[in-house]
Amino acid sequence: MYIVQIASECAPVIKAGGLGDVVYGLSRELETRENCVEIILPKYDCMRYDHIWRLHDAYRDLWVPWYGAAIHCSVYCGWVHGQVCFFIEPHSEDNFFNRGCYYGCSDDNMRFAFFSKAALEFLLQSNKRPDVIHCHDWQTGLVPIMLYEMYQHYGMERQRVCYTIHNFKHQGIAGADLLWATGLNREPYYFHYDRLRDNFNPFALNYMKGGIVYSNYVNTVSPHHAWEAHHTGISYGLGHTLHLNQDKFGGILNGIDYDMWNPESDRYIPYHYAKHDLQGKALNKKALRDRLLLSHVDKPIVAFIGRLDDQKGVHLVHHAIYHALHKGAQFVLLGSATDAGINNRFWHEKNFLNNNPDCHLELGFNEELAHLIYAGADMIVVPSNYEPCGLTQVIGLQYGAVPIVRGVGGLVNTVFDQDHDSTKPPEERNGYVFYQADNHALESAMDRALDLWRQNPDSFRQLMVQGMVYDYSWNHPGEEYLAVYDHIRHK
Ligand code: ADP
C-alpha cells in the first residue's frame, strides 16, 4: 500500500510531544510491513536539521493557490532516520514557518490551513496518488475537506483519508476568511451545522469537526479515550459530532518505536541494560545524579517528563515533588510550559528548590536528557487530568521506571495496578493507578510504590521487570492501522 502522512510533527526532527513520536513510529512500522510511506511536513526554521540526512530540493516550483493568487513554495526531501520526508517551504511575506517555533502564533489557524492546502497541491502536481492519506490533529483537519470538495475533482478521486485525533483540546477555529484563503468559498455551505460550523459558536468554522465529518475513518489514540470522547464531556464539544459519526470512529492505542526507545541500544544513555540484567540501570541512575548534581544516597528517583499544561495535572505534579521529598525520595522533572502562569510557577519552584540535593527541575525541551531520565528513574509519575494515550508511562515501562498514573484515557489501557487490578493476574501487573484528581489519591499511590521500593526491593525489581516485558511496540497498532486502511480503501 502507498500511504502519505500529512502532519505538523515527526520525531525527532520536529517534536513538541507525542504526535511527533507517533508519526515517525507508525511510519517505520508500516514500512517494515512492506508498505511505501511518505511524510509531508512544514519546513520550520527551528526543526532539528541534524536529524535529516541528504536534504535536497525535490520540487522547486510548487504554486499554491491562496486568496485568489498563489504562493510559490519549494519542497525539500530528506531522510529522517531512514524515513523519507518532504518539507514544504513557502516563499511569502507571511513567513509561515520561519517563526522560531512550531506553534503558538496568533495566525496558527492560517499557517496550518496553508500547509494543508500546500500538501494536497504537492500531491496533485507531483502526481502522487497514495491509497491512503493519514492526517493528524487539527493542523491537518482541512485536508479531507479540501480533498473531497476540491481535489477529487482535479483527479484525486480514489484517495481515502484516515484522521487521527491526538488531542481534542485544540481544534482549529477560523472565520469565513479561511474559505476565501483556501478557495473553498461557499460560505453558507461550509457554515452548515453538518459540515464545519462549530458546535457552539455559529460564527466559527472548526477544522477538527470538519476532519471528523469528511474523513473515511477517524480515531483517537486509545480505546478508553475513544470511549471517554464519545460518552463524556472530554472531547471539548465534539461529542455530538462523534456520536453522529460513531460508525467510523474508534480508538487505536499508540505504540512506541523500539529502535528509538530501547534501553539495550539507546544512544543517549551511557549504560545499556535489559530486563534480565538491570545492572546498567543502576549505573544510569548514578549518571543521572551526576548530570543533575543530585546527591548519591540510597533513595528512589521519581520523575515527571511532559508538557507542563493543565492537561497533565500540574497541580498534582507540583504536589508530587513535595510529597516525594517529604517521603525521602528524590525528584526529577523535565518539562516545558507554554502558559505564562504555569511557566512562572515552575520557575519559582525551581529557584526555591535550587539548592536541594534531592531535587532537580529542568524547564525546557531536551530529548537527550529525557532518555537518561527514563533510564535512571525508578518511578515515573503521570497524574494527568485527561490523557488521550500518554507515551511517558509506556516509555517508562520499557525502561523499568514503574509508572504511577491517574486512571484516565490511555493510562487505563496501559498501566495495571500492582495491588488492585482486577483484569490482570499479579504477575502481569506493572504499576500503580489512582483515580481521584486530588492530593490524597496521588499520595496513596506514591506511598504504595515508595514503600515497596524501600521495604521489598525484590518485589519492586520484579514489578519493574513485569513492566519491561510488555509489548507496547508498533507491532500490534501497526496491524490495526493497516486493517483500517484496507477497510477504507475497499469501501
Ligand atoms: P503529549 O503528546 O500530550 O505531549 P505524550 O505522553 O503522548 O504527551 O508524549 C510526550 C512525548 O514527548 C514523550 O516522548 C516525552 O518523552 C516527550 N517530552 C515531553 N516533554 C518533554 C521535554 N520537556 N523534553 C523532552 N521530551 C519531552
Side-chain angles (χ1 to χ4, degrees):
M1 222 183 291
Y2 174 23
I3 300 136
V4 166
Q5 309 244 15
I6 305 179
S8 54
E9 294 180 34
C10 174
V13 67
I14 307 162
K15 172 167 164 174
L19 168 62
D21 289 301
V22 171
V23 170
Y24 177 81
L26 174 60
S27 302
R28 292 308 290 160
E29 177 67 26
L30 296 171
E31 285 226 328
T32 51
R33 290 167 181 270
E34 297 186 350
N35 300 284
C36 170
V37 183
E38 293 171 344
I39 306 177
I40 303 180
L41 300 154
K43 186 166 176 287
Y44 303 95
D45 55 352
C46 55
M47 61 189 187
R48 293 277 306 255
Y49 284 86
D50 56 324
H51 284 286
I52 311 175
W53 278 263
R54 296 197 51 220
L55 189 66
H56 59 280
D57 52 351
Y59 204 89
R60 280 191 193 161
D61 282 318
L62 180 71
W63 288 91
V64 180
W66 194 244
Y67 279 112
I71 291 182
H72 178 221
C73 299
S74 309
V75 183
Y76 291 80
C77 176
W79 280 262
V80 173
H81 296 267
Q83 179 58 54
V84 73
C85 294
F86 292 94
F87 300 91
I88 298 183
E89 179 179 54
H91 307 290
S92 93
E93 285 173 1
D94 296 305
N95 250 334
F96 281 131
F97 304 117
N98 295 327
R99 311 272 185 96
C101 63
Y102 302 137
Y103 313 122
C105 305
S106 57
D107 60 345
D108 274 2
N109 56 357
M110 287 301 174
R111 294 169 70 217
F112 290 102
F114 179 81
F115 168 63
S116 300
K117 174 106 186 158
L120 280 168
E121 201 62 40
F122 172 53
L123 292 178
L124 179 74
Q125 292 187 28
S126 60
N127 266 325
K128 291 179 181 291
R129 296 293 182 270
D131 299 299
V132 172
I133 299 176
H134 193 156
C135 302
H136 301 266
D137 266 352
W138 74 267
Q139 291 88 344
T140 51
L142 294 178
V143 167
I145 300 155
M146 291 191 279
L147 178 69
Y148 186 82
E149 297 285 3
M150 305 171 98
Y151 286 82
Q152 73 158 329
H153 305 298
Y154 310 154
M156 293 179 64
E157 69 282 345
R158 293 174 63 92
Q159 281 57 55
R160 297 289 174 266
V161 178
C162 175
Y163 181 45
T164 300
I165 297 174
H166 300 256
N167 199 327
F168 282 97
K169 184 172 175 185
H170 308 285
Q171 299 182 357
I173 296 293
D177 223 25
L178 170 75
L179 302 175
W180 316 134
T182 53
L184 284 165
N185 302 323
R186 294 201 288 166
E187 202 172 324
Y189 179 79
Y190 290 108
F191 267 97
H192 195 280
Y193 183 81
D194 292 346
R195 297 193 181 85
L196 267 71
R197 194 177 95 185
D198 187 79
N199 290 349
F200 293 92
N201 179 353
F203 306 108
L205 299 163
N206 184 314
Y207 296 20
M208 187 172 275
K209 175 175 170 177
I212 296 170
V213 171
Y214 279 87
S215 294
N216 302 97
Y217 186 79
V218 183
N219 73 295
T220 186
V221 287
S222 70
H224 191 67
H225 193 60
W227 182 89
E228 290 172 337
H230 187 181
H231 297 286
T232 75
I234 205 91
S235 52
Y236 288 89
L238 288 176
H240 188 237
T241 307
L242 292 174
H243 182 70
L244 295 176
N245 290 279
Q246 58 182 309
D247 292 347
K248 60 173 189 183
F249 176 62
I252 300 179
L253 192 68
N254 283 338
I256 53 170
D257 186 284
Y258 275 19
D259 288 332
M260 291 253 174
W261 297 108
N262 185 349
E264 295 186 47
S265 54
D266 191 324
R267 62 200 179 109
Y268 296 128
I269 64 176
Y271 304 98
H272 291 148
Y273 61 98
K275 48 187 171 289
H276 51 266
D277 179 8
L278 289 170
Q279 247 182 9
K281 180 148 179 91
L283 296 172
N284 285 311
K285 184 172 176 178
K286 199 167 168 296
L288 179 63
R289 282 177 167 148
D290 282 340
R291 163 109 188 242
L292 302 181
L293 304 176
L294 296 176
S295 61
H296 290 273
V297 283
D298 183 29
K299 292 181 175 184
I301 297 181
V302 184
F304 170 87
I305 299 176
R307 289 179 297 114
L308 295 168
D309 180 278
D310 272 340
Q311 177 199 335
K312 301 292 176 184
V314 277
H315 61 298
L316 291 179
V317 172
H318 179 264
H319 188 69
I321 299 171
Y322 285 94
H323 188 64
L325 297 177
H326 170 71
K327 292 286 287 184
Q330 297 185 317
F331 200 97
V332 171
L333 176 144
L334 171 61
S336 53
T338 46
D339 177 281
I342 297 175
N343 192 37
N344 288 343
R345 185 163 155 210
F346 277 89
W347 270 105
H348 171 84
E349 260 0 293
K350 181 180 167 64
N351 292 333
F352 182 70
L353 292 164
N354 207 17
N355 295 325
N356 190 317
D358 286 330
C359 186
H360 183 91
L361 310 189
E362 182 76 23
L363 301 179
F365 193 94
N366 188 332
E367 180 78 20
E368 288 82 357
L369 179 60
H371 286 248
L372 182 61
I373 296 175
Y374 288 117
D378 298 285
M379 298 157 207
I380 184 132
V381 65
V382 193
S384 305
N385 277 328
Y386 72 93
E387 195 56 80
C389 176
L391 293 181
T392 61
Q393 83 283 9
V394 177
I395 302 170
L397 285 168
Q398 166 79 346
Y399 281 72
V402 171
I404 303 168
V405 307
R406 179 145 179 264
V408 289
L411 298 163
V412 169
N413 297 120
T414 48
V415 181
F416 308 99
D417 191 278
Q418 149 87 347
D419 301 313
H420 303 306
D421 192 273
S422 56
T423 63
K424 300 272 182 204
E427 65 277 11
E428 288 178 23
R429 298 176 190 172
N430 58 12
Y432 293 91
V433 184
F434 63 97
Y435 292 93
Q436 301 303 321
D438 60 42
N439 292 353
H440 285 305
L442 170 73
E443 282 175 18
S444 83
M446 284 180 73
D447 289 352
R448 289 189 289 128
L450 294 169
D451 289 347
L452 190 73
W453 188 91
R454 221 172 259 298
Q455 291 160 14
N456 204 337
D458 287 343
S459 300
F460 190 85
R461 201 167 306 112
Q462 180 58 30
L463 187 60
M464 286 164 64
V465 172
Q466 284 175 201
M468 293 176 84
V469 299
Y470 264 85
D471 178 7
Y472 286 127
S473 68
W474 275 104
N475 186 18
H476 187 63
E479 234 167 64
E480 284 189 73
Y481 275 110
L482 278 174
V484 164
Y485 298 164
D486 235 13
H487 172 72
I488 58 180
R489 263 177 85 198
H490 295 113
K491 242 181 23 171

